[in-house]
Amino acid sequence: MATAALLGLEKKSLREQALAALRTAITSGALEPGRHLVETELSEMLQISRGTLREALRQLQQEGLVSAGARGRLSVRHLDAKEIRDIYAVRAALESLAARTLCELPDRQHVIGSLRTAIQAMDAATHGTMEERVESDLDFHRTMCRLTGNETLLHSWESLEGSIRMSIMFAGLDKGVRNMSVDRHNDIVAAIETGDATLARNTILEHMDSAAAVLVA
């Protein structure tokens, strides 16, 4: 019984490691958009079974990083301008709800403190790698959703995370970095701090509209 449990943990660990490696390869551009994913090649590279690889690929498909084409062949997802605008429209709806919810809290000081800490991390990542900058930016927005206490909202936002990463990849380094300005994120925190739900909502909508415009320009 104990041996079976340990084997289960080992299998899960392999799947998670494969998932993390593939996710990083896709979001870093090592596996470029449109590239067909050949199971035999990937399983040999990762030194895992094809069954474990398929489990990881199914998860990446759910995250929006991988898409199925003709005959079910999987490839790295390639976003077009309309898809990016659609992604950011949904982000705007979710994050404006988060901002409004935070404005309605009777005591927002712990929220403001957490968001400012997230911005400090963004500032510290300014001279880091592109991956570090992307992670610090996403962490700010994830934190904003988490602080609402609305698990459905947070889960919905996290389901978009892979697509958000892909949209940044699509745009490239220069455009992606333009959307990671600390000042733009300070504006969001300042709006939430006022408790004015309309101001906070409009700040988020403008933030997302301008971000999408930069990415597809």
Side-chain angles (χ1 to χ4, degrees):
M1 184 71 89
T3 302
L6 288 173
L7 288 174
L9 287 174
E10 182 182 1
K11 180 181 177 182
K12 181 179 179 181
S13 176
L14 281 174
R15 175 189 174 279
E16 293 302 322
Q17 290 178 59
L19 181 59
L22 288 167
R23 189 187 288 122
T24 298
I26 291 171
T27 56
S28 68
L31 290 174
E32 66 278 6
R35 176 167 172 173
H36 291 300
L37 300 174
V38 181
E39 286 187 4
T40 51
E41 176 186 333
L42 290 175
S43 61
E44 287 175 8
M45 289 172 60
L46 294 168
Q47 297 186 326
I48 57 174
S49 70
R50 292 174 68 176
T52 300
L53 175 65
R54 288 191 192 109
E55 291 177 11
L57 290 174
R58 276 195 293 271
Q59 177 62 35
L60 292 174
Q61 195 172 0
Q62 291 176 3
E63 292 179 12
L65 295 178
V66 168
S67 58
R71 301 177 186 173
R73 291 186 66 189
L74 296 179
S75 61
V76 177
R77 186 178 175 194
H78 182 276
L79 297 175
D80 59 27
K82 180 185 181 302
E83 288 175 305
I84 290 175
R85 291 192 187 96
D86 289 346
I87 290 164
Y88 275 74
V90 175
R91 273 194 78 180
L94 292 171
E95 294 193 29
S96 61
L97 172 59
R100 188 188 77 191
T101 302
L102 295 178
C103 283
E104 292 170 352
L105 294 175
D107 181 7
R108 292 182 297 282
Q109 288 312 301
H110 75 287
V111 165
I112 300 304
S114 295
L115 292 175
R116 284 183 174 152
T117 297
I119 288 180
Q120 288 171 2
M122 289 182 65
D123 195 29
T126 300
H127 302 295
T129 65
M130 181 59 174
E131 185 175 358
E132 289 169 342
R133 297 198 68 175
V134 170
E135 290 309 312
S136 64
D137 178 84
L138 290 176
D139 186 61
F140 171 87
H141 294 277
R142 186 188 303 109
T143 297
M144 186 171 67
C145 293
R146 178 178 54 77
L147 289 169
T148 66
N150 185 329
E151 292 297 325
T152 301
L153 170 59
L154 178 60
H155 177 73
S156 298
W157 187 91
E158 288 178 334
S159 71
L160 281 178
E161 196 167 342
S163 295
I164 296 168
R165 294 174 194 275
M166 292 300 289
S167 69
I168 296 170
M169 263 186 56
F170 169 91
L173 176 62
D174 291 341
K175 291 180 180 178
V177 166
R178 283 171 59 188
N179 286 335
M180 298 174 196
S181 160
V182 168
D183 288 342
R184 295 178 75 242
H185 291 77
N186 274 325
D187 289 342
I188 294 173
V189 179
I192 293 172
E193 189 170 23
T194 67
D196 185 333
T198 300
L199 173 62
R201 174 183 179 276
N202 290 340
T203 301
I204 289 289
L205 294 179
E206 189 281 328
H207 182 98
M208 292 302 163
D209 283 348
S210 62
V214 167
L215 293 175
V216 302

